[in-house]
Amino acid sequence: GPCGGAITTLFALKALAKYDVLDKTEIYLLDIVPEVLDVTTAGDFNIPQEMIDEYGLHFAGRSGDQYKELMRSERVHAIIGDGERLPEEVKNMDIAIAGYVHHHMNLHARKKLAEQTEEAVRERGFVGVVDFYVASFQDYMGWYKPHFEKCETPPPVECPRVDGNRLASWYKNTGLSSVESLENSFVFYGIRE
């Protein structure tokens, strides 16, 4: 996505660049909202420069040229989908990251995404999940409306109260780290067995 999802993507790109494998990487971006894919592939998202500087997210630097060049390459594939049933081309992955997606889904869809994520990742592949939670539906709608007001097809409004521990329990085939809380967000990750 253009915000949390983009930040997640930038951290993944930073790690791949560190190990000098970025030029060998195929990237698949999946979102239900076409405008979100457009913003992400264009690099047209707003990430505070302080955050870019603090975490070394040079792909999103003041001009973001390196990121934009990568997103225009044939190695990046933008796919419209909901995550409940991943397309065939999103299989046998080395890394799968669900960045700020679960809060848009109902409980059934969250469970399906967890199952689909594990199915998409090959044995010994990396699975990572990060999302945020809010105290109430009203708080969520206060965030949601201005965040998606420019989208012709915004994502569905579901229950934003995501329980990281419950979500982690649905990853049956992945040896997960503990669920860590970070400022209204949680994160966990692991290696698929």
Side-chain angles (χ1 to χ4, degrees), residues 2 4 6 50 59 61 70 122 143 146 151 155 169 174 183:
E50 307 83 54
F59 291 99
L70 174 65
R122 70 178 74 200
W143 167 84
C151 288
S169 75
T174 305
E183 292 186 35

Side-chain angles (χ1 to χ4, degrees), residues 80-162:
I80 297 172
D82 62 12
E84 290 184 60
R85 197 167 132 231
L86 295 178
E88 218 30 63
E89 62 263 42
V90 185
K91 302 289 182 186
N92 207 26
M93 299 284 154
D94 292 313
I95 301 169
I97 300 170
Y100 297 96
V101 64
H102 286 279
H103 66 271
H104 291 297
M105 305 174 102
N106 62 44
L107 286 176
H108 171 76
R110 289 177 191 163
K111 189 169 193 281
K112 289 298 292 179
L113 178 60
E115 293 166 356
Q116 289 289 296
T117 302
E118 281 191 321
E119 187 177 312
V121 177
R122 70 178 74 200
E123 187 176 312
R124 305 291 305 148
F126 177 87
V127 174
V129 177
V130 61
D131 214 318
F132 81 101
Y133 53 88
V134 293
S136 70
F137 186 76
Q138 290 77 17
D139 290 343
Y140 179 66
M141 290 308 295
W143 167 84
Y144 180 92
K145 287 179 181 178
H147 191 71
F148 289 104
E149 68 187 355
K150 295 179 183 173
C151 288
E152 290 179 35
T153 53
V157 175
E158 294 290 355
C159 177
R161 298 192 60 131
V162 180

Side-chain angles (χ1 to χ4, degrees), residues 11-135:
F11 277 109
L13 294 175
K14 178 182 175 188
L16 293 169
K18 177 181 175 183
Y19 293 103
D20 201 28
V21 295
L22 195 54
D23 63 336
K24 302 171 185 88
T25 303
E26 291 279 324
I27 300 169
Y28 293 82
L29 303 169
L30 178 76
D31 204 291
I32 195 169
V33 182
E35 293 93 346
V36 169
L37 288 169
D38 293 344
V39 166
T40 303
T41 56
D44 189 22
F45 39 75
N46 292 323
I47 297 175
Q49 189 63 43
E50 307 83 54
M51 185 175 194
I52 292 167
D53 295 341
E54 181 177 351
Y55 294 104
L57 301 175
H58 61 279
F59 291 99
R62 285 184 169 74
S63 66
D65 291 338
Q66 189 175 7
Y67 177 89
K68 291 173 184 176
E69 182 180 330
L70 174 65
M71 289 295 123
R72 286 191 296 265
S73 77
E74 294 177 0
R75 295 178 293 115
V76 175
H77 313 276
I79 301 166
I80 297 172
D82 62 12
E84 290 184 60
R85 197 167 132 231
L86 295 178
E88 218 30 63
E89 62 263 42
V90 185
K91 302 289 182 186
N92 207 26
M93 299 284 154
D94 292 313
I95 301 169
I97 300 170
Y100 297 96
V101 64
H102 286 279
H103 66 271
H104 291 297
M105 305 174 102
N106 62 44
L107 286 176
H108 171 76
R110 289 177 191 163
K111 189 169 193 281
K112 289 298 292 179
L113 178 60
E115 293 166 356
Q116 289 289 296
T117 302
E118 281 191 321
E119 187 177 312
V121 177
R122 70 178 74 200
E123 187 176 312
R124 305 291 305 148
F126 177 87
V127 174
V129 177
V130 61
D131 214 318
F132 81 101
Y133 53 88
V134 293

